[in-house]
């Protein structure tokens, strides 16, 4: 009897316990799934959140200008669902709330939690200029020698009245080793591209083309170095057809390039060309350029070699030398010019500060300079043109032949376009069709479009596909001679945490399927931000995205997330000393090294203190500090941790 | 006996032949309207066909043949990109390139239609994987299509364009195989017989010749296969070798044993291709992976291959009806 009571009570207690457990589990689960996400840790890898809105500015590359605008927009719109801002702060909403109040159910703790705003700076456009501005090595108003975020500067917004911040440089070329802050620069390669040359094989202007530039009574001195215009104009009042398609005097001005099979032995026609050979031009179309042969290479002779023209040597300045390949002439550049019928090659004078120009110079090599010695002195008035846009030649042609009218103007403008050689980002070429189109008058009150067509380089065509094993992916495997990486470049000694978060956000694709778990879904589109970043880079802008997860046998893994060195636990320092010692060492194998500018924190270290070693010298067991308050307290066996230089300054 | 008698009586009526003639004319008119009137997915005028028929291997170079690209085609040429098409259905064709296509798959070569709006070019099919850095998946279970048009970013659906039939990419092969498919006994009036097989990618040191051997021809479903293989070395040099044996099975699958896939010669690659039906839809069987049969409404924006046949039927009916009426004596009044 007594046992039965005990059993009943035990059973009742057990039932109650199970019911309570079940209710707790159910309610708990419900609460967990419906509640807001916990507020993220501040100042930690990989987001480096600071808990407050900030503004960033980048500058530099034209090639990546539009892409960064778009990526910045994606990042900023994620901030709509960032932390809950503190209305009571001064200024209002200048910091995030903390603790449980920091987030609500819709908070996105993975994408721009801090409400960062980004300005895609213009300034003096070009990768080289962006790096100069990052280093404070370009004059006002974009640098003025002042490092806004340098070790000794004040916070942006207080001293930035005279200059604009450059938190990181957009760059379509690698780090410029001539810059004074080169040692502190770190390049994050987040995309790949290539730079083919382009010509205009379909520019079929109405004849005759006079080529008299601007003023018929005072012709321009020359269209191109070494090929002076005559008194009758640069084309000597002769007809100019689509020279890049192989047009030669006597051909119809609407002739087309022959297909490759008709030029099987000619290196200039390795691929099928436009229009399938209907109404064929008699010359060899220009569909390939080569840099083989140093200063005697076809490419170098076109852009750089100023010596007198000879067989296999000197300048190539006439289209007939490229396309009139007959008889004993077998190499492009050795064709015979046409008597009294000059066909000058117009080398566009591309922005010398451009990373695209730098890439092309690297291809030309042999000491060619960024002003391209053989650039046209007439096209665009001889002024620099921007990279990656053929449409601008519409304005150039209209300006260069403003004195013409009617059919003469149409012929002159068409002749200028037809005679142009230019180079362009393959990503821009593929993704922005408008960037390939030049619109000029048709001679009867209307207009006509001519399209740029890219060439092969050294027999290789630019392809943007991703594969370690397929030969056709020539940008990925670097077979395309001007394959290049697109970078965001920051300074390790000044990079702000918010800038690091944005740069990391672009690079971060680690883990899992596509890395989607590292980013949230964009409430505005329903698509995960990671996928949106990829489609922005690859589909909207035609490049190849590189991430921290990229792995290949071709070195396409240049986008590691910004991190800091791990803490040391055996730090010793004396009162008033500016050095800290560690027996275990500050650079541990396989870990991010300590770099100048890192924020140093520890129990007995005044705040803030930064690593002040010259770049590259933090290699062993001693670091030097610079602190805003003097004198470090004595410490031994202390734990010292590192963080990015300043969360807010 | 009654049925035969009724049929005989019916054949002797002029009204019967008149009805046949009218039906034939109606079919011809309907086909013409279907061909010309906008609003149908296939009625825009542009269409593309792929050969050989899917499925494909990663990197396999196929021939893309297009027609109808006659209006509004600028000299910038045509773009070809891979887009996802879940299930291989027309309903799932992409409407936005940002979410449905991957820009890294764009053709590298210039593709310009001739004055009749036709073109033929080669294109390297790619396996795509979101995990591997692509924006979409194209593999043995995820159908894709080729989009062909002028400007995928700004005129994806608003400009002249066409989608290909859906396909799967069955294996991550390392060989680029060029194959030409013909239909000697005529399977469909829309099946084309491209002959250009030059790969678009070459190396600085070599060219890729067109190869026409070996050739195997079978009866229906027939496939004439011309195989060559492009082999890639890590240094970027490309060599092309021709040869290998080709066998065609009754089911239409083609096994192509070709040259090596790595730097040194050796090894083999199996390429599976279903019969060249020209229907623009059948997924076909696979030699390299499991191929699921997509639903009956396949993605294909070219004109239906049956349309010319229907028109021919209508024409024949009209003719027969006309002759029938003329042969029969007019009823006396």
């Amino acid at each position: 009897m007594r046992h039965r009571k005990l059993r009943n009570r035990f059973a009742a207690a057990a039932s109650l316990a199970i019911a309570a457990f079940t209710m707790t589990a159910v309610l708990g689960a419900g609460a967990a799934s419906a509640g807001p996400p916990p507020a993220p840790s501040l100042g930690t890898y990989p987001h480096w959140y600071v808990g407050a809105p900030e503004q960033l500015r980048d500058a530099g590359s034209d090639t990546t200008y539009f892409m960064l605008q778009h990526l910045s927009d994606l990042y900023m719109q994620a901030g709509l669902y960032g932390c809950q801002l503190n209305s009571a702060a001064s200024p209002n909403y200048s910091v995030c709330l903390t603790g449980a109040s920091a987030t609500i159910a819709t908070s996105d703790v993975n994408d721009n939690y801090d409400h960062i705003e980004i300005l895609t700076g213009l300034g003096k456009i070009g990768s080289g200029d962006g790096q100069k501005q990052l280093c404070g090595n370009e004059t006002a108003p974009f640098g003025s020698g002042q490092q806004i975020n340098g070790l000794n500067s004040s916070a942006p917004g207080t001293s930035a009245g005279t200059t604009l911040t450059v938190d990181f440089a957009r760059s379509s070329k690698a780090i410029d080793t001539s810059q004074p802050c080169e040692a502190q620069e770190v390049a994050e390669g987040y995309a790949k591209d290539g730079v083919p040359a382009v010509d205009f094989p379909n520019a079929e202007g109405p004849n005759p083309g006079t080529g008299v530039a601007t003023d018929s009574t005072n012709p321009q001195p020359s269209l191109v170095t070494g090929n002076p215009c005559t008194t009758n104009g640069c084309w000597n009042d002769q007809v100019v057809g689509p020279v890049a398609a192989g047009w030669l005097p006597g051909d119809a001005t609407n002739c087309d390039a022959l297909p490759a099979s008709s030029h099987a032995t000619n290196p200039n026609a390795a691929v099928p060309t436009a229009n399938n050979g209907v109404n064929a031009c008699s010359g060899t179309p220009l569909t390939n350029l080569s840099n083989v042969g140093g200063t005697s290479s076809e490419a170098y002779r076109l852009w750089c070699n100023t010596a007198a023209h000879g067989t296999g040597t000197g300048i190539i300045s006439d289209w007939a030398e490229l396309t009139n390949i007959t008889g004993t002439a077998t190499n492009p550049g050795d064709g015979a010019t046409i008597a009294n019928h000059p066909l000058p090659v117009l080398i566009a004078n591309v922005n010398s500060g451009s990373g695209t120009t730098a890439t092309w110079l690297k291809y030309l090599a042999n000491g060619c300079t960024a002003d391209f010695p053989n650039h046209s002195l007439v096209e665009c008035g001889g002024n620099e043109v921007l990279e990656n846009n053929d449409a601008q030649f519409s304005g150039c042609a209209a300006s260069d032949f403003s004195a013409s009218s009617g059919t003469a103007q149409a012929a002159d403008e068409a002749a200028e376009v037809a005679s142009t050689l230019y180079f362009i980002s393959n990503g821009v070429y593929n993704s922005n069709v408008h960037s390939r189109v030049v619109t000029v008058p048709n001679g009867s009150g209307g207009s006509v479009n001519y399209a740029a067509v890219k060439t092969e380089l050294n027999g290789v065509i630019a392809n943007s596909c991703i594969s370690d094993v397929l030969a056709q992916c020539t940008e990925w495997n670097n077979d395309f001679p001007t394959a290049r990486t697109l970078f965001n470049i920051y300074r390790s000694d000044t990079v702000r945490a918010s800038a690091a978060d944005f740069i990391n956000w672009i690079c971060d694709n680690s883990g899992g399927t596509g890395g989607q778990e590292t980013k949230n879904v964009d409430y505005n589109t329903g698509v995960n931000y990671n996928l949106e970043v990829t489609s922005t880079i690859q589909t909207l802008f035609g490049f190849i995205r590189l991430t921290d997860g990229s792995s290949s046998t071709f070195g396409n893994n240049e986008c590691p997330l910004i991190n800091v060195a791990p803490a040391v636990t055996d730090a010793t320092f004396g009162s008033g000393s500016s050095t800290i010692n560690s027996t275990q060492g500050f650079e541990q194998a396989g870990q991010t090294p300590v770099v100048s500018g890192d924020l140093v924190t520890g129990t007995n270290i005044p705040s803030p203190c930064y690593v002040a070693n010259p770049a590259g010298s933090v290699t062993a067991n001693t670091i030097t500090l610079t602190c805003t308050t003097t004198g470090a307290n004595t410490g031994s066996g202390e734990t010292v941790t590192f963080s990015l230089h300043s969360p807010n300054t | 006996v009654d049925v035969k008698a009724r049929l005989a009586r019916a054949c002797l009526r002029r009204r019967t032949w008149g009805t046949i003639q009218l039906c034939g004319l109606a079919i011809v008119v309907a086909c013409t309207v279907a061909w010309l009137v906008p609003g149908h997915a296939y009625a825009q005028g542009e269409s593309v066909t792929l050969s050989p028929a899917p499925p494909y291997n990663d990197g396999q170079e196929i021939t893309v043949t297009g027609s109808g690209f006659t209006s509004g085609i600028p000299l910038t040429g045509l773009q070809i990109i891979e887009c996802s098409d879940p299930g291989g259905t027309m309903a799932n064709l992409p409407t936005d390139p940002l979410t449905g296509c991957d820009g890294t798959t764009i053709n590298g070569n210039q593709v310009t239609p001739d004055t009749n709006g036709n073109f033929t070019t080669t294109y390297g099919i790619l396996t795509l994987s979101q995990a591997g850095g692509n924006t979409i998946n194209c593999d043995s279970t995820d159908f894709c299509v080729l989009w062909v048009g002028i400007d995928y970013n700004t005129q994806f659906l608003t400009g002249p364009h066409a989608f290909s039939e859906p396909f799967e990419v069955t294996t991550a092969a390392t060989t680029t195989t060029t194959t030409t498919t013909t239909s000697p006994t005529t399977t469909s009036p829309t099946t084309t017989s491209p002959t250009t097989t030059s790969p678009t990618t070459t190396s600085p040191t070599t060219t890729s010749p067109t190869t026409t051997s070996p050739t195997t021809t079978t009866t229906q479903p027939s496939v004439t296969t011309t195989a060559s293989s492009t082999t890639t070395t890590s240094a970027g040099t490309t060599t092309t070798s021709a040869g290998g044996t080709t066998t065609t099975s009754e089911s239409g699958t083609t096994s192509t044993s070709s040259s090596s896939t790595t730097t040194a010669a050796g090894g083999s690659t199996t390429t599976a291709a279903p019969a060249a039906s020209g229907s623009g839809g059948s997924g076909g069987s696979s030699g390299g992976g499991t191929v699921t049969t997509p639903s009956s409404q396949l993605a294909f924006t070219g004109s239906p291959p049956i349309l010319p046949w229907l028109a021919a039927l209508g024409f024949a009916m009209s003719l027969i009806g006309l002759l029938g009426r003329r042969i029969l004596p007019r009823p006396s009044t």
Side-chain angles (χ1 to χ4, degrees):
Chain A
M1 185 68 181
R2 194 167 182 174
H3 287 159
R4 185 185 296 169
K5 268 188 177 177
L6 278 173
R7 279 201 303 273
N8 289 343
R9 285 174 182 171
F10 182 78
S15 299
L16 282 171
I18 290 169
F21 176 79
T22 304
M23 289 297 288
T24 303
V26 169
L27 293 176
S33 61
S41 300
L42 304 184
T44 57
Y45 171 89
H47 293 299
W48 305 108
Y49 290 137
V50 297
E54 289 191 1
Q55 288 186 323
L56 302 177
R57 181 173 178 272
D58 54 77
S61 165
D62 179 23
T63 300
T64 61
Y65 176 74
F66 302 102
M67 179 165 60
L68 255 294
Q69 279 185 323
H70 201 89
L71 291 173
S72 299
D73 280 350
L74 284 175
Y75 183 76
M76 284 194 287
Q77 74 190 49
L80 291 169
Y81 298 93
C83 72
Q84 294 297 293
L85 295 172
N86 186 348
S87 62
S90 180
N92 298 143
Y93 306 107
S94 58
V95 296
C96 297
L97 291 169
T98 58
S101 303
T103 58
I104 60 175
T106 58
S107 295
D108 181 347
V109 298
N110 292 317
D111 310 279
N112 197 9
Y113 177 79
D114 286 334
H115 299 244
I116 303 299
E117 296 178 3
I118 303 166
L119 174 63
T120 308
L122 195 59
K124 171 67 172 70
I125 204 79
S127 301
D129 295 282
Q131 292 189 43
K132 289 177 183 175
Q133 292 159 34
L134 181 68
C135 286
N137 192 32
E138 196 161 67
T139 53
F142 304 112
S144 194
Q146 181 181 7
Q147 296 177 22
I148 295 295
N149 301 311
L151 294 176
N152 299 313
S153 69
S154 302
T158 56
S159 66
T162 56
T163 57
L164 295 173
T165 300
V166 178
D167 286 285
F168 64 92
R170 306 185 308 269
S171 186
S172 60
K173 67 176 185 178
I175 290 171
D176 178 358
T177 55
S178 70
Q179 291 305 307
C181 72
E182 177 261 334
Q184 287 81 39
E185 287 182 300
V186 181
E188 295 279 356
Y190 68 99
K192 288 208 77 167
D193 188 24
V195 182
V198 293
D199 55 23
F200 296 86
N202 305 108
E204 304 169 339
N207 55 354
T210 65
V212 179
T214 305
D215 181 357
S216 59
T217 61
N218 183 27
Q220 296 293 319
S222 81
L223 275 174
V224 61
T225 302
N227 191 354
C229 298
T230 69
T231 53
N232 291 324
C234 297
W235 288 282
N236 201 25
D237 281 342
Q238 301 287 342
V239 176
V240 179
V243 287
W247 179 91
L248 289 170
D251 291 341
T253 53
N254 63 347
C255 72
D256 297 323
L258 281 175
S261 57
S262 300
H263 297 274
T265 60
N266 193 295
N268 254 2
V271 293
T273 52
N275 289 1
N276 300 326
V278 177
N279 189 21
C281 303
S282 59
T284 305
L286 183 70
T287 60
N288 178 56
L289 287 173
S290 168
N291 72 345
V292 176
T295 57
S296 296
S297 73
E298 179 187 12
Y300 189 88
R301 292 173 68 192
L302 279 162
W303 267 264
C304 311
N305 196 328
T306 57
H309 177 81
T311 302
T313 61
I315 186 173
I316 300 172
S317 60
D318 193 290
W319 276 95
E321 293 166 354
L322 290 167
T323 63
N324 191 21
I325 309 298
T326 57
T328 57
T330 55
N331 294 318
D334 291 343
T337 55
I338 312 299
N340 298 317
H341 201 137
L343 296 170
V345 179
L346 305 186
I347 301 290
N349 186 17
V350 185
N351 174 17
S352 58
S354 156
T356 306
T357 294
T359 304
W360 194 250
L361 280 173
K362 192 176 175 185
Y363 176 67
L364 299 174
N366 301 297
C368 191
T369 52
D371 60 349
F372 299 123
N374 293 342
H375 77 253
S376 169
L377 299 178
V378 162
E379 186 162 47
C380 305
N383 295 313
E384 286 190 346
V385 295
L386 288 182
E387 62 271 38
N388 306 329
N389 193 311
D390 297 284
Q392 65 189 318
F393 293 114
S394 305
C396 290
S399 174
D400 294 338
F401 297 98
S402 58
S404 305
S405 63
T407 54
Q409 184 182 29
D412 287 342
E413 294 192 26
E416 179 169 289
V417 174
S419 304
T420 298
L421 269 183
Y422 183 58
F423 48 79
I424 191 171
S425 152
N426 192 45
V428 174
Y429 179 94
N430 284 338
S431 63
N432 183 356
V433 170
H434 180 72
S435 73
R436 292 192 241 159
V437 178
V438 182
T439 305
V440 295
N442 65 1
S444 55
S447 62
V448 60
N449 291 333
Y450 300 133
V453 174
K454 68 180 178 184
T455 70
E456 295 184 348
L457 297 182
N458 299 5
V460 181
I461 199 161
N463 264 324
S464 54
C465 54
I466 304 170
S467 174
D468 265 7
V469 296
L470 297 176
Q472 67 208 65
C473 302
T474 57
E475 288 180 356
W476 183 261
N477 63 23
N478 300 315
D479 272 357
F480 191 63
T482 54
R484 62 174 176 174
T485 301
L486 307 179
F487 301 96
N488 288 322
I489 297 178
Y490 68 93
R491 286 182 60 161
S492 64
D493 58 342
T494 60
V495 62
R496 287 193 286 165
S498 47
D501 182 24
F502 179 54
I503 293 170
N504 280 358
W505 188 78
I506 295 173
C507 290
D508 191 0
N509 187 42
S510 61
T513 303
Q516 267 78 347
E517 72 282 1
T518 64
K519 292 182 175 66
N520 278 27
V521 168
D522 181 351
Y523 282 132
N524 196 44
T525 62
V527 179
N528 187 281
Y529 276 113
N530 192 62
L531 202 54
E532 289 193 317
V533 170
T534 305
S535 62
T536 295
I537 294 173
Q538 297 190 168
T539 303
L540 193 55
F541 291 99
F543 306 116
I544 304 169
R545 185 186 178 194
L546 303 180
T547 71
D548 63 327
S550 296
S551 63
S552 79
T553 57
F554 302 102
N556 299 317
N557 45 6
E558 302 175 74
C559 213
L561 303 190
I562 300 172
N563 202 350
V564 294
V568 295
T569 56
D570 64 342
T572 59
F573 43 90
S575 178
S577 172
S578 61
T579 60
I580 298 177
N581 298 305
S582 167
T583 302
Q584 69 185 72
F586 295 105
E587 278 198 1
Q588 299 164 28
Q591 300 287 354
T592 304
V594 175
V595 296
S596 178
D598 277 356
L599 180 65
V600 181
T601 55
T603 304
N604 293 310
I605 297 175
S607 178
C609 282
Y610 301 101
V611 176
N613 297 51
S617 67
V618 186
T619 55
N621 307 97
T622 302
I623 57 174
T624 304
L625 298 182
T626 179
C627 307
T628 54
T629 57
T630 56
N633 293 322
T634 302
S636 178
E638 298 281 343
T639 296
V640 171
T641 59
F642 301 92
S643 186
L644 292 184
H645 172 268
S646 68
N648 289 301
T649 61
Chain B
V1 176
D2 284 347
V3 173
K4 283 184 178 176
R6 282 180 190 171
L7 275 174
R9 280 198 300 272
C11 289
L12 289 173
R13 290 192 201 112
R14 284 175 58 85
R15 186 186 298 170
T16 301
W17 296 106
T19 304
I20 291 172
Q21 184 182 7
L22 282 175
C23 286
L25 284 172
I27 291 172
V28 170
V29 170
C31 287
T32 307
V33 169
W35 183 271
L36 294 177
V37 174
H40 302 280
Y42 51 81
Q44 299 297 320
E46 302 86 17
S47 66
V48 292
T49 57
L50 313 180
S51 66
Y56 305 118
N57 292 330
D58 186 24
Q60 181 177 347
E61 285 204 347
I62 65 167
T63 299
V64 181
T65 303
S67 61
F69 290 88
T70 53
S71 61
I73 309 296
L75 297 171
T76 49
L78 295 173
Q79 298 178 330
I80 305 174
I81 53 173
E82 277 186 51
C83 301
S84 65
D85 180 28
T89 66
M90 186 176 286
N92 290 337
L93 284 173
T95 57
D96 180 358
L98 276 180
T99 55
C101 308
D102 191 316
T104 62
T105 64
I106 192 167
N107 55 309
N109 60 328
Q110 176 79 5
V111 178
T112 305
D114 62 22
T115 52
N116 296 318
N118 303 317
F119 73 88
T120 297
T121 189
T122 54
Y123 180 86
I125 294 288
L126 297 161
T127 298
L128 302 180
S129 154
Q130 288 185 338
N134 296 112
T135 54
I136 57 174
N137 293 317
C138 294
D139 50 37
S140 61
T141 56
D142 295 289
F143 278 93
C144 280
V145 293
L146 294 185
W147 178 94
V148 182
I150 297 169
D151 185 347
Y152 72 80
N153 262 330
T154 64
Q155 298 181 45
F156 189 68
L157 296 180
T158 58
H161 72 281
F163 290 102
S164 74
E165 62 184 297
F167 58 83
E168 292 167 306
V169 190
T170 55
T171 59
T174 56
T175 298
T176 301
T177 302
T178 303
T179 307
T180 300
T181 303
T182 58
S183 303
T185 53
T186 308
T187 56
S188 162
T190 59
T191 301
T192 56
S193 304
T195 56
T196 302
T197 57
S198 299
T200 58
T201 301
T202 58
S203 77
T205 56
T206 63
T207 57
S208 301
T210 301
T211 307
T212 56
S213 173
T215 300
T216 302
T217 304
T218 67
T219 55
Q220 286 288 345
S222 65
V223 178
T224 301
T225 304
T226 303
S228 67
S229 67
T230 303
T231 305
T232 307
T233 66
S234 60
T237 57
T238 303
T239 57
T240 301
S241 58
T245 55
T246 301
T247 55
T248 304
S249 68
E250 287 295 321
S251 64
T253 58
T254 302
S255 296
T256 303
S257 176
S258 58
S259 62
S260 73
T261 61
T262 56
T263 304
S268 65
T269 300
T270 300
T271 306
S277 66
S279 65
S282 67
S285 59
S286 167
T290 303
V291 180
T292 56
T293 303
S295 65
S296 58
Q297 188 64 27
L298 293 167
F300 180 56
T301 57
S303 60
I306 199 172
L307 211 56
W309 289 108
L310 270 177
L313 176 66
F315 183 74
M317 288 173 67
S318 301
L319 197 61
I320 292 169
L322 180 67
L323 291 173
R325 285 175 60 203
R326 287 192 173 274
I327 290 170
L328 286 178
R330 285 179 179 277
S332 57
T333 55

